[in-house]
Structures are given as C-alpha cells and as structure tokens.
Amino acid sequence: GEDVEQSLFLSVREGDSSVINCTYTDSSSTYLYWYKQEPGAGLQLLTYIFSNMDMKQDQRLTVLLNKKDKHLSLRIADTQTGDSAIYFCARGFNNNDMRFGAGTRLTVKP
Amino acid sequence: SQTIHQWPATLVQPVGSPLSLECTVEGTSNPNLYWYRQAAGRGLQLLFYSVGIGQISSEVPQNLSASRPQDRQFILSSKKLLLSDSGFYLCAWNSGRGYEQYFGPGTRLTVT
C-alpha cells in the first residue's frame, strides 16, 4: 500500500472544527508535516511535529500524533471559507526522503 | 528572506516537443533542490533532487532529466514530451539544516 494515506475529501460548515486524518507505515520517520495547497498554487508548510511529541498547537491548528497507531491528525478550529484547500500529510526522516499523501480536499460551506 | 520562483507558470506543448522548466531560489546558498510532479487528484511524486551543483539524483526512470548549472538554479528538461508528462510540476528547496521543504508556485504543463 501507499506509504502515507489520507482520505480524499472532507466537507464541513463554516465555524465548525475540521479534522483531517493521515496514516503512515514507516515508523522510523522523525518528522511529520502538514502542507496546504490552494488552487493553482504551490504547497505551503503549515506545521510539523517531531516524532517524540504527541501534540502541537499553533493558533487554530492542533496536530495530534499517535505513534503506536501511526496516525497523524490536523484539527482546524473555527474553520473558515479561506481554509478550503487541499491538505497534504507528509513524512520524512532525512532531507531527501519526504513522502506525501494524496491530499485531502477540504471544502468549507458557508 | 528566501523566495523560490518557477517559470513558466503554465505551458501547453505538443507531444514530441522539448521541455525546459526553470526554478531559482533567492536568499539562501547551497540549498537542496527538488522537482516533484503532481498528477490530477494524486499526491506528489519526487522526480529529482540535488544537493549541489552538478549533483542530480533521479527517483523515477522516465524521459525527463534535471540539471543544476548554478547553485540556486534547477532545470527540468525533456527531449520529447509524452502525453503522460502532463501535470503540475513543483520545485522545492531545503536548507540542508532542517527537514522542511519550501515549495515554488508550480508550473502547469499540458501536453497535447
């Protein structure tokens, strides 16, 4: 199977919380990342978490890491229409080996 | 601050024609550089990476090639494009001192 897996679509209402999930297979990963891609644009690094952490919070973003289950999630609080984008989970353990999921398309409805 | 540029932004080329996409990075020296391809509805596929001038590693065998003629310039080329080369091509850089990669705005290539 794929090294990093994500569900392809998520739809939420404005003001709700969004939770985007990701699973990975390589337990030796040292960093896990979340990137955001708006239509027709490149990827923007949102946040990352080191593999010895369980949680990282940055304003509206909360990253949770369950190392036992190899599960990573990104929670966006108070989701806004501007949060509509594709969100990529990625894992890496050195500079030249970063693997991306297929991306989750988040749609925020007013 | 560092910036990364790609051009052209969009390109429509016939099958069998050559290709040259350019990526440049400003505000840093000796970056690691990467070319990715993003097919519609799919994740990113790493095509090439470079840790220095003239040093290119290929991840996927195909009719594309990459070159790094200068420290902050990375070029993706093909002698003859295939229909399957259509996609969104992203260049990224990394400082070599951290793990995160920073992406350019991308080039949308359509092979007709």
Side-chain angles (χ1 to χ4, degrees):
Chain A
E2 295 294 325
D3 193 7
V4 181
E5 294 193 355
Q6 306 175 237
S7 53
L8 294 182
F9 302 98
L10 176 65
S11 180
V12 301
R13 293 220 171 267
E14 191 173 19
D16 289 349
S17 292
S18 307
V19 180
I20 303 170
N21 295 300
C22 169
T23 57
Y24 58 96
T25 56
D26 190 332
S27 59
S28 62
S29 299
T30 57
Y31 283 93
L32 295 132
Y33 305 85
W34 285 104
Y35 283 84
K36 176 184 181 183
Q37 184 182 35
E38 297 185 0
L43 275 68
Q44 173 193 1
L45 177 64
L46 284 180
T47 187
Y48 61 90
I49 189 167
F50 191 53
S51 58
N52 68 353
M53 299 170 65
D54 297 322
M55 185 183 84
K56 181 178 180 181
Q57 187 159 1
D58 184 2
Q59 299 182 335
R60 292 191 298 124
L61 304 179
T62 302
V63 179
L64 294 177
L65 175 60
N66 182 326
K67 291 182 287 294
K68 174 176 173 291
D69 294 338
K70 298 178 188 173
H71 181 266
L72 182 74
S73 68
L74 174 69
R75 179 177 180 270
I76 305 173
D78 187 25
T79 313
Q80 303 298 306
T81 54
D83 295 323
S84 292
I86 300 175
Y87 290 81
F88 289 92
C89 170
R91 70 94 177 134
F93 55 87
N94 63 48
N95 293 343
N96 298 318
D97 190 359
M98 181 176 279
R99 305 288 169 158
F100 290 82
T104 299
R105 183 178 296 275
L106 173 65
T107 302
V108 182
K109 299 180 180 179
Chain B
S1 64
Q2 300 86 7
T3 55
I4 178 169
H5 305 279
Q6 288 186 245
W7 61 88
T10 60
L11 192 59
V12 180
Q13 293 281 95
V15 168
S17 64
L19 173 73
S20 181
L21 303 182
E22 189 167 344
C23 170
T24 59
V25 181
E26 296 177 356
T28 188
S29 59
N30 197 30
N32 294 332
L33 296 171
Y34 309 83
W35 278 112
Y36 289 88
R37 177 168 57 203
Q38 183 181 17
R42 300 183 65 179
L44 277 68
Q45 178 187 33
L46 178 63
L47 301 175
F48 300 95
Y49 68 89
S50 171
V51 298
I53 295 174
Q55 301 178 62
I56 309 294
S57 296
S58 174
E59 289 292 301
V60 182
Q62 56 211 326
N63 69 320
L64 299 173
S65 62
S67 61
R68 184 169 178 176
Q70 300 180 44
D71 181 44
R72 289 168 289 177
Q73 184 184 31
F74 205 23
I75 297 173
L76 183 69
S77 303
S78 174
K79 292 182 180 178
K80 289 186 177 182
L81 283 167
L82 306 173
L83 284 174
S84 58
D85 292 324
S86 292
F88 193 50
Y89 288 82
L90 289 157
C91 181
W93 74 273
N94 160 276
S95 68
R97 294 181 294 279
Y99 293 91
E100 59 272 20
Q101 294 180 16
Y102 300 94
F103 285 79
T107 295
R108 172 77 57 194
L109 171 66
T110 304
V111 182
T112 60

